[in-house]
Structure formats: C-alpha cells, structure tokens
Short mmCIF file of all heavy atoms in Angstrom, two decimals:
data_model
loop_
_atom_site.label_atom_id
_atom_site.label_comp_id
_atom_site.label_asym_id
_atom_site.label_seq_id
_atom_site.Cartn_x
_atom_site.Cartn_y
_atom_site.Cartn_z
N GLU A 1 2.57 10.62 -8.35
CA GLU A 1 2.98 11.67 -9.30
C GLU A 1 2.44 13.04 -8.87
O GLU A 1 3.15 14.04 -8.92
CB GLU A 1 2.45 11.30 -10.69
CG GLU A 1 2.87 12.21 -11.78
CD GLU A 1 2.28 11.78 -13.12
OE1 GLU A 1 2.28 10.57 -13.42
OE2 GLU A 1 1.80 12.68 -13.84
N ILE A 2 1.20 13.07 -8.44
CA ILE A 2 0.59 14.33 -7.99
C ILE A 2 1.26 14.81 -6.71
O ILE A 2 1.59 16.00 -6.57
CB ILE A 2 -0.93 14.15 -7.78
CG1 ILE A 2 -1.62 13.89 -9.12
CG2 ILE A 2 -1.53 15.36 -7.09
CD1 ILE A 2 -3.08 13.44 -8.99
N ILE A 3 1.47 13.92 -5.77
CA ILE A 3 2.03 14.29 -4.46
C ILE A 3 3.48 14.73 -4.58
O ILE A 3 3.96 15.47 -3.73
CB ILE A 3 1.86 13.13 -3.46
CG1 ILE A 3 0.40 13.03 -3.04
CG2 ILE A 3 2.74 13.31 -2.23
CD1 ILE A 3 0.09 11.93 -2.06
N GLU A 4 4.15 14.32 -5.62
CA GLU A 4 5.53 14.76 -5.84
C GLU A 4 5.64 16.28 -5.79
O GLU A 4 6.64 16.83 -5.34
CB GLU A 4 5.99 14.26 -7.22
CG GLU A 4 7.43 13.92 -7.31
CD GLU A 4 7.73 13.27 -8.64
OE1 GLU A 4 8.04 14.02 -9.58
OE2 GLU A 4 7.63 12.03 -8.71
N GLN A 5 4.60 16.96 -6.21
CA GLN A 5 4.57 18.43 -6.23
C GLN A 5 4.16 19.01 -4.87
O GLN A 5 4.28 20.20 -4.66
CB GLN A 5 3.59 18.92 -7.30
CG GLN A 5 3.78 18.34 -8.66
CD GLN A 5 5.13 18.66 -9.26
OE1 GLN A 5 5.64 19.76 -9.11
NE2 GLN A 5 5.72 17.69 -9.91
N ASP A 6 3.67 18.16 -3.99
CA ASP A 6 3.15 18.60 -2.69
C ASP A 6 4.29 18.90 -1.73
O ASP A 6 5.26 18.17 -1.65
CB ASP A 6 2.26 17.49 -2.12
CG ASP A 6 1.40 17.94 -0.96
OD1 ASP A 6 1.53 19.09 -0.53
OD2 ASP A 6 0.60 17.12 -0.50
N LYS A 7 4.15 19.97 -1.00
CA LYS A 7 5.17 20.33 -0.01
C LYS A 7 4.94 19.63 1.33
O LYS A 7 5.80 19.65 2.19
CB LYS A 7 5.17 21.85 0.19
CG LYS A 7 5.66 22.63 -1.02
CD LYS A 7 5.57 24.12 -0.74
CE LYS A 7 6.15 24.98 -1.81
NZ LYS A 7 5.76 24.80 -3.15
N ASN A 8 3.80 19.01 1.49
CA ASN A 8 3.44 18.37 2.74
C ASN A 8 4.04 16.96 2.78
O ASN A 8 3.56 16.04 2.12
CB ASN A 8 1.92 18.32 2.88
CG ASN A 8 1.47 17.81 4.22
OD1 ASN A 8 2.21 17.13 4.92
ND2 ASN A 8 0.24 18.13 4.58
N SER A 9 5.06 16.79 3.60
CA SER A 9 5.72 15.48 3.67
C SER A 9 4.83 14.43 4.33
O SER A 9 5.03 13.23 4.11
CB SER A 9 7.05 15.60 4.41
OG SER A 9 6.85 16.01 5.74
N GLU A 10 3.85 14.84 5.11
CA GLU A 10 2.92 13.89 5.73
C GLU A 10 2.15 13.13 4.66
O GLU A 10 1.93 11.92 4.78
CB GLU A 10 1.95 14.60 6.67
CG GLU A 10 2.59 15.06 7.96
CD GLU A 10 1.59 15.77 8.86
OE1 GLU A 10 0.38 15.46 8.79
OE2 GLU A 10 2.03 16.62 9.63
N ASN A 11 1.75 13.83 3.61
CA ASN A 11 1.02 13.18 2.52
C ASN A 11 1.92 12.16 1.81
O ASN A 11 1.48 11.07 1.48
CB ASN A 11 0.51 14.21 1.52
CG ASN A 11 -0.58 15.08 2.09
OD1 ASN A 11 -1.24 14.71 3.06
ND2 ASN A 11 -0.77 16.24 1.52
N LYS A 12 3.15 12.53 1.61
CA LYS A 12 4.11 11.61 0.96
C LYS A 12 4.32 10.38 1.82
O LYS A 12 4.34 9.25 1.31
CB LYS A 12 5.44 12.32 0.71
CG LYS A 12 5.35 13.40 -0.35
CD LYS A 12 6.68 14.11 -0.51
CE LYS A 12 6.51 15.27 -1.48
NZ LYS A 12 7.72 16.03 -1.67
N ASN A 13 4.47 10.58 3.12
CA ASN A 13 4.68 9.45 4.04
C ASN A 13 3.45 8.55 4.11
O ASN A 13 3.58 7.33 4.16
CB ASN A 13 5.05 9.96 5.43
CG ASN A 13 6.42 10.59 5.47
OD1 ASN A 13 7.27 10.30 4.65
ND2 ASN A 13 6.63 11.48 6.44
N GLU A 14 2.29 9.17 4.12
CA GLU A 14 1.06 8.38 4.17
C GLU A 14 0.92 7.52 2.91
O GLU A 14 0.59 6.33 2.99
CB GLU A 14 -0.15 9.29 4.31
CG GLU A 14 -1.44 8.54 4.47
CD GLU A 14 -2.64 9.45 4.69
OE1 GLU A 14 -2.48 10.62 5.07
OE2 GLU A 14 -3.75 8.94 4.47
N LEU A 15 1.19 8.11 1.76
CA LEU A 15 1.09 7.35 0.52
C LEU A 15 2.11 6.22 0.49
O LEU A 15 1.81 5.10 0.08
CB LEU A 15 1.27 8.25 -0.70
CG LEU A 15 1.15 7.52 -2.04
CD1 LEU A 15 -0.22 6.88 -2.20
CD2 LEU A 15 1.46 8.45 -3.19
N LYS A 16 3.30 6.50 0.98
CA LYS A 16 4.34 5.47 1.02
C LYS A 16 3.87 4.29 1.88
O LYS A 16 4.07 3.13 1.50
CB LYS A 16 5.63 6.06 1.59
CG LYS A 16 6.78 5.10 1.62
CD LYS A 16 8.04 5.77 2.17
CE LYS A 16 9.17 4.77 2.25
NZ LYS A 16 10.37 5.35 2.83
N LYS A 17 3.25 4.57 3.00
CA LYS A 17 2.74 3.52 3.88
C LYS A 17 1.70 2.67 3.17
O LYS A 17 1.75 1.43 3.21
CB LYS A 17 2.15 4.15 5.14
CG LYS A 17 1.55 3.16 6.12
CD LYS A 17 0.91 3.86 7.29
CE LYS A 17 -0.44 4.37 6.86
NZ LYS A 17 -1.29 4.84 7.91
N HIS A 18 0.77 3.31 2.47
CA HIS A 18 -0.28 2.57 1.75
C HIS A 18 0.31 1.78 0.58
O HIS A 18 -0.13 0.65 0.31
CB HIS A 18 -1.36 3.51 1.26
CG HIS A 18 -2.06 4.24 2.35
ND1 HIS A 18 -2.57 3.61 3.48
CD2 HIS A 18 -2.31 5.56 2.53
CE1 HIS A 18 -3.11 4.50 4.28
NE2 HIS A 18 -2.96 5.70 3.72
N LYS A 19 1.29 2.35 -0.05
CA LYS A 19 1.94 1.65 -1.18
C LYS A 19 2.64 0.39 -0.69
O LYS A 19 2.56 -0.66 -1.32
CB LYS A 19 2.94 2.60 -1.84
CG LYS A 19 3.57 2.05 -3.09
CD LYS A 19 4.49 3.08 -3.73
CE LYS A 19 5.13 2.54 -4.98
NZ LYS A 19 5.98 3.53 -5.64
N GLU A 20 3.31 0.48 0.43
CA GLU A 20 3.99 -0.70 1.00
C GLU A 20 2.99 -1.77 1.43
O GLU A 20 3.19 -2.95 1.17
CB GLU A 20 4.86 -0.29 2.18
CG GLU A 20 6.12 0.44 1.79
CD GLU A 20 6.95 0.89 2.98
OE1 GLU A 20 6.77 0.35 4.09
OE2 GLU A 20 7.78 1.79 2.79
N THR A 21 1.92 -1.35 2.06
CA THR A 21 0.89 -2.31 2.48
C THR A 21 0.31 -3.02 1.26
O THR A 21 0.13 -4.25 1.26
CB THR A 21 -0.23 -1.59 3.25
OG1 THR A 21 0.33 -0.91 4.37
CG2 THR A 21 -1.30 -2.56 3.72
N TYR A 22 0.04 -2.26 0.20
CA TYR A 22 -0.50 -2.85 -1.03
C TYR A 22 0.51 -3.82 -1.64
O TYR A 22 0.13 -4.91 -2.08
CB TYR A 22 -0.86 -1.74 -2.01
CG TYR A 22 -1.54 -2.23 -3.26
CD1 TYR A 22 -2.81 -2.78 -3.20
CD2 TYR A 22 -0.92 -2.14 -4.49
CE1 TYR A 22 -3.45 -3.24 -4.34
CE2 TYR A 22 -1.53 -2.60 -5.64
CZ TYR A 22 -2.80 -3.14 -5.56
OH TYR A 22 -3.42 -3.59 -6.69
N LYS A 23 1.77 -3.45 -1.61
CA LYS A 23 2.83 -4.32 -2.15
C LYS A 23 2.86 -5.66 -1.40
O LYS A 23 2.91 -6.72 -2.02
CB LYS A 23 4.19 -3.63 -2.05
CG LYS A 23 5.33 -4.43 -2.62
CD LYS A 23 6.64 -3.72 -2.42
CE LYS A 23 7.33 -4.34 -1.24
NZ LYS A 23 8.64 -3.87 -0.95
N TYR A 24 2.80 -5.61 -0.08
CA TYR A 24 2.82 -6.83 0.71
C TYR A 24 1.57 -7.67 0.47
O TYR A 24 1.64 -8.89 0.40
CB TYR A 24 2.99 -6.54 2.20
CG TYR A 24 4.35 -6.00 2.53
CD1 TYR A 24 4.50 -4.82 3.25
CD2 TYR A 24 5.50 -6.67 2.14
CE1 TYR A 24 5.76 -4.33 3.56
CE2 TYR A 24 6.76 -6.19 2.44
CZ TYR A 24 6.88 -5.01 3.15
OH TYR A 24 8.12 -4.52 3.44
N MET A 25 0.45 -7.01 0.31
CA MET A 25 -0.79 -7.73 0.03
C MET A 25 -0.67 -8.48 -1.30
O MET A 25 -1.06 -9.64 -1.41
CB MET A 25 -1.96 -6.75 -0.02
CG MET A 25 -3.30 -7.43 -0.13
SD MET A 25 -4.68 -6.26 -0.30
CE MET A 25 -4.50 -5.84 -2.03
N LEU A 26 -0.08 -7.83 -2.29
CA LEU A 26 0.11 -8.48 -3.59
C LEU A 26 1.10 -9.63 -3.52
O LEU A 26 0.93 -10.65 -4.18
CB LEU A 26 0.57 -7.46 -4.64
CG LEU A 26 -0.46 -6.43 -5.08
CD1 LEU A 26 0.16 -5.48 -6.10
CD2 LEU A 26 -1.69 -7.09 -5.65
N GLU A 27 2.13 -9.46 -2.69
CA GLU A 27 3.11 -10.55 -2.52
C GLU A 27 2.44 -11.79 -1.93
O GLU A 27 2.67 -12.91 -2.40
CB GLU A 27 4.26 -10.10 -1.63
CG GLU A 27 5.27 -9.23 -2.33
CD GLU A 27 6.41 -8.81 -1.43
OE1 GLU A 27 6.73 -9.51 -0.45
OE2 GLU A 27 7.00 -7.74 -1.70
N TYR A 28 1.63 -11.60 -0.90
CA TYR A 28 0.91 -12.74 -0.31
C TYR A 28 0.01 -13.38 -1.35
O TYR A 28 -0.06 -14.60 -1.47
CB TYR A 28 0.07 -12.31 0.88
CG TYR A 28 0.85 -12.03 2.14
CD1 TYR A 28 0.73 -10.82 2.81
CD2 TYR A 28 1.70 -12.98 2.68
CE1 TYR A 28 1.44 -10.57 3.98
CE2 TYR A 28 2.41 -12.74 3.84
CZ TYR A 28 2.28 -11.53 4.48
OH TYR A 28 2.97 -11.29 5.62
N TYR A 29 -0.66 -12.55 -2.10
CA TYR A 29 -1.59 -13.05 -3.12
C TYR A 29 -0.84 -13.86 -4.18
O TYR A 29 -1.29 -14.93 -4.58
CB TYR A 29 -2.34 -11.88 -3.76
CG TYR A 29 -3.32 -12.29 -4.81
CD1 TYR A 29 -4.53 -12.89 -4.45
CD2 TYR A 29 -3.06 -12.09 -6.16
CE1 TYR A 29 -5.45 -13.28 -5.40
CE2 TYR A 29 -3.97 -12.49 -7.12
CZ TYR A 29 -5.16 -13.08 -6.74
OH TYR A 29 -6.07 -13.47 -7.69
N SER A 30 0.29 -13.36 -4.64
CA SER A 30 1.05 -14.04 -5.69
C SER A 30 1.64 -15.37 -5.22
O SER A 30 1.92 -16.24 -6.02
CB SER A 30 2.16 -13.14 -6.23
OG SER A 30 3.16 -12.96 -5.26
N GLN A 31 1.81 -15.52 -3.91
CA GLN A 31 2.34 -16.76 -3.34
C GLN A 31 1.23 -17.72 -2.92
O GLN A 31 1.49 -18.75 -2.30
CB GLN A 31 3.23 -16.45 -2.13
CG GLN A 31 4.43 -15.62 -2.46
CD GLN A 31 5.12 -15.09 -1.21
OE1 GLN A 31 4.71 -15.35 -0.09
NE2 GLN A 31 6.18 -14.33 -1.42
N ASP A 32 0.00 -17.37 -3.25
CA ASP A 32 -1.16 -18.16 -2.86
C ASP A 32 -1.22 -18.38 -1.34
O ASP A 32 -1.68 -19.42 -0.88
CB ASP A 32 -1.20 -19.50 -3.58
CG ASP A 32 -1.64 -19.36 -5.02
OD1 ASP A 32 -2.35 -18.39 -5.32
OD2 ASP A 32 -1.27 -20.22 -5.84
N THR A 33 -0.73 -17.41 -0.61
CA THR A 33 -0.77 -17.48 0.85
C THR A 33 -2.17 -17.08 1.31
O THR A 33 -2.68 -16.03 0.92
CB THR A 33 0.27 -16.51 1.47
OG1 THR A 33 1.54 -16.83 0.95
CG2 THR A 33 0.28 -16.61 2.97
N PRO A 34 -2.80 -17.91 2.12
CA PRO A 34 -4.14 -17.55 2.62
C PRO A 34 -4.07 -16.24 3.42
O PRO A 34 -3.20 -16.07 4.26
CB PRO A 34 -4.52 -18.72 3.53
CG PRO A 34 -3.60 -19.83 3.17
CD PRO A 34 -2.36 -19.20 2.62
N ASP A 35 -4.96 -15.36 3.11
CA ASP A 35 -4.99 -14.07 3.79
C ASP A 35 -6.45 -13.70 4.04
O ASP A 35 -7.07 -13.05 3.20
CB ASP A 35 -4.28 -13.01 2.94
CG ASP A 35 -4.15 -11.68 3.66
OD1 ASP A 35 -4.62 -11.56 4.81
OD2 ASP A 35 -3.58 -10.75 3.06
N PRO A 36 -6.99 -14.10 5.18
CA PRO A 36 -8.40 -13.83 5.45
C PRO A 36 -8.70 -12.33 5.59
O PRO A 36 -9.84 -11.93 5.49
CB PRO A 36 -8.66 -14.57 6.76
CG PRO A 36 -7.34 -14.79 7.37
CD PRO A 36 -6.34 -14.83 6.26
N GLN A 37 -7.67 -11.53 5.77
CA GLN A 37 -7.85 -10.09 5.93
C GLN A 37 -7.69 -9.31 4.62
O GLN A 37 -7.78 -8.10 4.61
CB GLN A 37 -6.85 -9.55 6.96
CG GLN A 37 -7.03 -10.11 8.34
CD GLN A 37 -8.35 -9.68 8.95
OE1 GLN A 37 -8.72 -8.53 8.90
NE2 GLN A 37 -9.07 -10.64 9.52
N ARG A 38 -7.45 -10.02 3.52
CA ARG A 38 -7.14 -9.36 2.24
C ARG A 38 -8.20 -8.33 1.85
O ARG A 38 -7.87 -7.19 1.51
CB ARG A 38 -6.95 -10.37 1.13
CG ARG A 38 -6.59 -9.73 -0.20
CD ARG A 38 -6.43 -10.72 -1.33
NE ARG A 38 -5.37 -11.64 -1.00
CZ ARG A 38 -5.43 -12.96 -1.23
NH1 ARG A 38 -6.49 -13.48 -1.78
NH2 ARG A 38 -4.43 -13.74 -0.90
N GLU A 39 -9.45 -8.72 1.88
CA GLU A 39 -10.51 -7.81 1.46
C GLU A 39 -10.59 -6.59 2.38
O GLU A 39 -10.76 -5.46 1.91
CB GLU A 39 -11.86 -8.52 1.43
CG GLU A 39 -12.96 -7.69 0.83
CD GLU A 39 -14.27 -8.44 0.68
OE1 GLU A 39 -14.26 -9.68 0.69
OE2 GLU A 39 -15.30 -7.76 0.56
N LYS A 40 -10.43 -6.82 3.66
CA LYS A 40 -10.47 -5.71 4.62
C LYS A 40 -9.30 -4.75 4.37
O LYS A 40 -9.47 -3.53 4.38
CB LYS A 40 -10.40 -6.26 6.05
CG LYS A 40 -10.45 -5.19 7.10
CD LYS A 40 -10.36 -5.79 8.49
CE LYS A 40 -10.33 -4.68 9.52
NZ LYS A 40 -10.14 -5.20 10.87
N ILE A 41 -8.11 -5.30 4.14
CA ILE A 41 -6.93 -4.47 3.88
C ILE A 41 -7.12 -3.69 2.58
O ILE A 41 -6.84 -2.49 2.51
CB ILE A 41 -5.66 -5.33 3.82
CG1 ILE A 41 -5.36 -5.91 5.21
CG2 ILE A 41 -4.46 -4.53 3.31
CD1 ILE A 41 -4.30 -7.00 5.23
N TYR A 42 -7.61 -4.37 1.55
CA TYR A 42 -7.85 -3.73 0.26
C TYR A 42 -8.81 -2.55 0.43
O TYR A 42 -8.54 -1.44 -0.07
CB TYR A 42 -8.43 -4.76 -0.72
CG TYR A 42 -8.64 -4.24 -2.11
CD1 TYR A 42 -7.65 -4.39 -3.08
CD2 TYR A 42 -9.81 -3.59 -2.48
CE1 TYR A 42 -7.83 -3.92 -4.36
CE2 TYR A 42 -9.99 -3.11 -3.75
CZ TYR A 42 -9.01 -3.28 -4.70
OH TYR A 42 -9.19 -2.79 -5.96
#
C-alpha cells in the first residue's frame, strides 16, 4: 500500500519478488511439504 505511491519501480519489483516467495513458502507449508529451508527463507 505504501509503495503504491512510490515512483521507484525497483521497490515495487522487489516487493513483488518477496511476496511471491512468501506465497510459495505458504503453499508448501499448507501442503505439509517438508521444507528444510523454510526458516532461512522466512
């Protein structure tokens, strides 16, 4: 919401990348898929 006002597209792209990574991490978690890197990624 804050970055929406930002003119720097790099910030928007960076947040999008982190949001996607978080989404995938949650998907693995919800499927009870073992993820030894979960804490490191978090």
Side-chain angles (χ1 to χ4, degrees):
E1 184 181 316
I2 293 169
I3 286 179
E4 212 172 90
Q5 308 299 321
D6 194 355
K7 292 178 175 51
N8 187 339
S9 63
E10 287 180 28
N11 292 338
K12 291 177 186 179
N13 291 336
E14 184 177 341
L15 181 61
K16 183 179 177 182
K17 178 184 79 169
H18 299 311
K19 186 177 180 178
E20 287 178 19
T21 303
Y22 185 68
K23 182 183 100 175
Y24 291 127
M25 188 184 78
L26 290 179
E27 282 181 26
Y28 285 126
Y29 181 74
S30 69
Q31 298 168 0
D32 285 334
T33 304
D35 186 359
Q37 296 294 314
R38 182 181 300 138
E39 188 175 341
K40 181 181 177 185
I41 293 168
Y42 184 93

